[in-house]
Amino acid sequence: MIVATRFGAKERDGMPDEVGDDKNLGGSGLQVIEDITCPVCGCLCDDLRVTLQGQQLQAIEGACSLAKPWYEAVCRASATTHEVTGIPASLDEAVGKAIALLRKSRAPLIYGLSRSSTDGQRKAIELAEMLGATIDTTASVCHGPSIMAIQQVGESTSSLGEVRQRSDLVVYWGCDPVRSHPRHLERYSAEPLSEFLPGGRADRTIVVIDTQETETSQLADVFLRVSPDRDYELICEVRSLLLSFRLGDGPHPMPVSPEAERLFQLLSTCRYGAVFFGLGIAQGRLGHQTVAVLLRLVAEMNAITRMIARRMRIPGDVAGADSVLCWQTGFPFAVNLGRGYPRYNPGEFSANELLERGEVDCCLFVGSESISEFSTAARAAICHLPVVTLESAHVLPEVRPDVLFRTAVYGVHCRGTGYRMDEIPISMRPFLPGNLPTDAVVIEKLAERLRDS
Ligand code: SF4
């Protein structure tokens, strides 16, 4: 007998949970929870199916090769106590010590936020405002150059749902989604059948542009190899072919590479093109200039067909961190609130550079995993600073903190909202009850204590 339950569906703000496909498999003791959202990468797949026996994870269907070990680690994790200088402490003791460190600080840095959720991100910004801190997200070591390019030239975008329905040409440029976003092709770009593409994969052309063969290029219809840091020239050549085509000038007057000719032929003959680009171009030598020229090309292609560009965002809610920071301050990352109003300047207020220059005297990390991307000098600087870290139980902090808060994982232990890589907010609901506070609760406690002092 199957009995519908509302497991994990605590009321929030007086509103009942609207998702209700959970099932108890009568007699077996197994509980099946459907439509779980995976927060591991920017795809935020929301169709996972979890089977629990009591508090034990029995199976997780729909989880890819990245998600499965992550869920197993989260569900196995046993570290549940907060720590002060490595010694177990109560939440109140940890808050007291963290406040003592933050109060003494004249140039605090709040960094991370991409493993958080809208509530945690809002609270972190509120705290940064109270402290007059600099607040930065993991975008500054990831797609920061792309954000700057978007600010310069704008972007032609769509939701992943539109790509799924309409895109007969998909270009992956400088990224390898089979490894970094394993279900991207299956859910959005290559395999879905739709009204406009009833043949699914057979109706779509997949192109990979990269400096070397990748797992994605092996599945692609066309692989175009570019020399390292030659993406900029390739894009300029294609723009010049497009201009010539639009002017109807006949043969292009300048010689261009065969790769540019092939790419222009593909782009100009599709009905709906989607260009997904990754750190391969955003973190290249010309960084934001290359992304800017790519965004211009995609916008210009709309004169002859429909085309969009999207970033391949990596951590689960990095898009949310940028979005929430934008609502609250007007800027997406590297924001300083030291003067009582937001100032934005990547490089000047980016976490890595601030640390390198010794302009931080206390760090609060809301998730510390991307600290591994910092320079050696920035990492060395952290070792000499007071550090407060909020981390979920399955993660070993990247640096030894003075105060460590263990927090619940959104989408596993608690409810939250994450932003998919196309900036669509997706609800994440819990399936495993836990005793740990969310990062939003911890940060609110810090803020309350500061307010009261
Ligand atoms: S593709 Fe990303 S969001 Fe989807 S299951 Fe895998 S890790 Fe999770």
Side-chain angles (χ1 to χ4, degrees):
M1 188 179 75
I2 294 176
V3 181
T5 70
R6 298 276 171 156
F7 179 81
K10 285 182 194 152
E11 288 195 358
R12 182 188 182 226
D13 299 328
M15 297 294 290
D17 189 352
E18 70 284 5
V19 186
D21 286 332
D22 312 342
K23 301 170 179 87
N24 263 334
L25 302 184
S28 66
L30 294 178
Q31 187 167 33
V32 176
I33 303 124
E34 296 183 334
D35 302 326
I36 291 298
T37 301
C38 169
V40 176
C41 83
C43 287
L44 286 186
C45 301
D46 54 0
D47 59 350
L48 274 57
R49 192 170 190 263
V50 171
T51 306
L52 295 175
Q53 177 126 41
Q55 299 294 298
Q56 300 293 317
L57 179 71
Q58 292 296 309
I60 180 146
E61 293 162 57
C64 69
S65 55
L66 288 182
K68 199 157 184 273
W70 183 86
Y71 274 105
E72 285 167 357
V74 170
C75 295
R76 239 190 351 251
S78 55
T80 53
T81 49
H82 314 293
E83 292 174 18
V84 173
T85 56
I87 298 164
S90 69
L91 181 57
D92 265 3
E93 289 165 343
V95 167
K97 176 67 180 170
I99 283 295
L101 296 176
L102 291 170
R103 224 186 256 132
K104 265 195 266 170
S105 168
R106 296 184 60 209
L109 167 70
I110 298 180
Y111 174 79
L113 306 174
S114 59
R115 291 281 173 218
S116 186
S117 155
T118 301
D119 289 343
Q121 290 149 356
R122 290 181 80 142
K123 292 290 175 196
I125 297 162
E126 197 181 315
L127 183 66
E129 219 171 340
M130 292 175 76
L131 292 167
T134 299
I135 183 161
D136 195 14
T137 74
T138 58
S140 75
V141 291
C142 188
H143 266 292
S146 310
I147 294 173
M148 291 162 67
I150 291 166
Q151 288 169 330
Q152 271 182 342
V153 303
E155 61 179 342
S156 163
T157 70
S158 73
S159 69
L160 290 176
E162 196 176 317
V163 171
R164 176 186 168 95
Q165 293 297 320
R166 294 177 181 270
S167 191
D168 60 335
L169 176 75
V170 175
V171 179
Y172 286 113
W173 200 320
C175 54
D176 186 8
V178 171
R179 288 175 69 92
S180 59
H181 302 76
R183 295 187 64 201
H184 195 270
L185 284 89
E186 169 214 320
R187 278 175 60 84
Y188 307 117
S189 65
E191 294 169 26
L193 311 182
S194 75
E195 184 186 340
F196 303 100
L197 302 156
R201 178 68 181 89
D203 286 346
R204 301 177 196 254
T205 303
I206 307 293
V207 180
V208 170
I209 306 175
D210 216 319
T211 53
Q212 58 189 3
E213 281 199 29
T214 60
E215 286 187 38
T216 311
S217 73
Q218 285 163 18
L219 302 179
D221 302 297
V222 179
F223 171 53
L224 298 175
R225 190 191 297 268
V226 280
S227 310
D229 289 321
R230 231 205 117 252
D231 309 81
Y232 186 91
E233 284 89 338
L234 177 58
I235 298 163
C236 290
E237 285 179 336
V238 177
R239 284 185 75 198
S240 132
L241 287 168
L242 173 63
L243 184 62
S244 186
F245 175 83
R246 287 176 66 190
L247 291 173
D249 274 356
H252 191 262
M254 303 275 288
V256 294
S257 63
E259 290 82 13
E261 280 190 18
R262 180 78 173 111
L263 182 56
F264 178 66
Q265 183 260 327
L266 289 161
L267 296 179
S268 59
T269 53
C270 73
R271 280 182 298 141
Y272 187 119
V275 179
F276 292 101
F277 60 95
L279 298 183
I281 64 169
Q283 293 282 345
R285 204 150 49 91
L286 285 172
H288 75 278
Q289 292 294 359
T290 308
V291 177
V293 80
L294 176 62
L295 295 174
R296 280 191 202 280
L297 167 66
V298 168
E300 288 162 1
M301 286 303 302
N302 281 276
I304 58 171
T305 185
R306 168 82 173 123
M307 195 157 293
I308 62 100
R310 296 249 56 144
R311 289 164 284 166
M312 295 295 281
R313 309 300 307 262
I314 296 177
D317 197 25
V318 64
D322 304 351
S323 300
V324 177
L325 200 51
C326 263
W327 308 338
Q328 304 277 312
T329 70
F331 305 110
F333 69 107
V335 180
N336 177 272
L337 294 155
R339 291 191 186 165
Y341 56 88
R343 288 184 299 154
Y344 167 66
N345 198 4
E348 185 181 1
F349 300 130
S350 304
N352 184 69
E353 283 73 12
L354 279 173
L355 288 161
E356 280 179 352
R357 293 194 302 267
E359 293 175 10
V360 175
D361 63 4
C362 183
C363 298
L364 190 152
F365 296 124
V366 185
S368 65
E369 65 180 1
S370 67
I371 289 170
S372 57
E373 305 294 324
F374 283 2
S375 67
T376 310
R379 288 171 59 86
I382 295 170
C383 298
H384 303 292
L385 293 174
V387 173
V388 178
T389 300
L390 279 67
E391 203 71 88
S392 49
H394 70 290
V395 177
L396 207 58
E398 274 293 320
V399 287
R400 182 183 289 254
D402 297 273
V403 182
L404 173 63
F405 292 100
R406 287 295 185 186
T407 53
V409 177
Y410 290 101
V412 176
H413 308 121
C414 57
R415 174 182 304 282
T417 302
Y419 278 66
R420 210 167 58 185
M421 63 168 73
D422 54 352
E423 280 122 20
I424 301 287
I426 306 281
S427 170
M428 301 184 285
R429 68 189 186 118
F431 61 86
L432 199 62
N435 299 323
L436 292 175
T438 61
D439 55 12
V441 167
V442 171
I443 298 170
E444 176 57 25
K445 280 188 181 297
L446 294 173
E448 265 171 23
R449 196 73 75 89
L450 267 183
R451 253 181 245 121
D452 294 346
S453 60

